[in-house]
Amino acid sequence: MITDGNLDTVFNVQTPEGIELPLKIAGFWSRSLAWLLDFLIRAFIYFVLAMILTQFEKLGMGLFLILIFVLEWFYPVLFEVNNQGMTPGKSMLGIQVVNMDATPVSWTPSLIRNILRTVDFLPLLYGLGFLTMLLNQRFQRLGDLAAGTLVVYKPVKKKEASFASVSTTDLTFDLSLKEQQAIISFAERSSTLSNERQYELAEILSPLKNTHVTMTPDELMGLANRFLGKS
């Protein structure tokens, strides 16, 4: 089950064991750049093949057309299935294809999503795919919707969370488990956020305590340390 995330384009996938896995959805620009990189890689391969196979006249041309067909249709599938959902272009951008339940993509969904690229391409330059991505919160094109896949940022292996060292005052109000989890989620992501974004999100999270006092990012991270038993 996927639930909306409270911060940015993060969706939480709940596993059968009851564990929530946060997925950061890849947007249009990162996916477009990945596609462009993969296109340039294929174009280079086609150029090399053409230089070699044109020496064999008609036989070479026939082989060249066959290889173009194979590369166009199976290049993304082979990489997605055998390289953690990443083509070379996706790998450079740090994004990957996964199933809706966050499990690695397999042959069938990868084939479906890539075969339907021809529909997403209509009427020109992935116009229909782009429109479909804008109309759903998970930025899925038609191929993704049919295959049940998502394109997400590859999780970065984190060291043990280390938040700002601040004096934690005694809480004079109660926070629900969901509210505590939201503060911990903010603290875990704080190192990847600018100071301006930290304060912006802190203003969103501060009303959780039902007062009119706004907490600073450091104070929220101090609370996160408290909830995790680190202070």
Side-chain angles (χ1 to χ4, degrees):
M1 180 179 70
I2 294 184
T3 57
D4 289 2
N6 293 323
L7 305 177
D8 298 333
T9 54
V10 175
F11 290 83
N12 294 320
V13 176
Q14 190 171 46
T15 67
E17 295 80 12
I19 300 173
E20 285 194 347
L21 300 176
L23 298 177
K24 186 175 181 181
I25 306 299
F28 173 75
W29 290 112
S30 58
R31 294 179 64 169
S32 297
L33 287 173
W35 177 88
L36 179 60
L37 289 170
D38 284 320
F39 173 79
L40 293 175
I41 290 171
R42 294 199 308 275
F44 176 74
I45 295 173
Y46 297 152
F47 174 77
V48 173
L49 289 174
M51 294 291 292
I52 297 172
L53 294 176
T54 50
Q55 301 179 40
F56 299 95
E57 299 181 346
K58 290 184 178 180
L59 175 61
M61 181 58 66
L63 289 173
F64 180 63
L65 292 176
I66 292 173
L67 290 173
I68 286 179
F69 175 84
V70 172
L71 278 171
E72 280 298 313
W73 291 105
F74 293 102
Y75 168 96
V77 176
L78 289 172
F79 278 110
E80 288 175 2
V81 174
N82 295 293
N83 190 38
Q84 301 179 329
M86 297 181 292
T87 60
K90 288 185 176 70
S91 181
M92 293 178 200
L93 270 294
I95 60 178
Q96 64 182 156
V97 181
V98 296
N99 293 319
M100 291 287 290
D101 58 0
T103 56
V105 69
S106 56
W107 288 100
T108 299
S110 184
L111 281 167
I112 292 173
R113 73 182 303 275
N114 283 291
I115 287 174
L116 286 178
R117 281 186 301 151
T118 53
V119 180
D120 282 309
F121 190 83
L122 299 173
L124 183 67
L125 297 177
Y126 288 95
L128 185 57
F130 175 63
L131 178 62
T132 306
M133 289 169 66
L134 292 179
L135 294 178
N136 71 87
Q137 291 182 318
R138 303 180 189 99
F139 295 103
Q140 293 168 290
R141 58 178 177 83
L142 288 175
D144 291 314
L145 292 171
T149 55
L150 296 168
V151 180
V152 301
Y153 284 96
K154 191 176 188 300
V156 178
K157 291 184 179 179
K158 297 180 181 178
K159 298 180 180 179
E160 184 179 358
S162 176
F163 311 137
S165 298
V166 296
S167 299
T168 304
T169 57
D170 292 334
L171 291 175
T172 58
F173 47 87
D174 294 326
L175 290 176
S176 68
L177 178 60
K178 185 175 180 180
E179 290 169 340
Q180 293 179 33
Q181 289 173 337
I183 292 175
I184 292 172
S185 175
F186 164 78
E188 289 176 338
R189 298 180 57 207
S190 61
S191 62
T192 65
L193 303 172
S194 66
N195 288 335
E196 293 79 7
R197 185 56 173 158
Q198 286 186 28
Y199 276 93
E200 181 182 350
L201 293 177
E203 290 181 3
I204 296 173
L205 290 172
S206 291
L208 293 174
K209 64 185 188 307
N210 297 317
T211 73
H212 298 293
V213 179
T214 299
M215 302 187 77
T216 67
D218 281 356
E219 289 173 325
L220 288 172
M221 286 185 271
L223 284 180
N225 273 330
R226 179 187 184 90
F227 299 146
L228 294 172
K230 298 182 180 181
S231 58

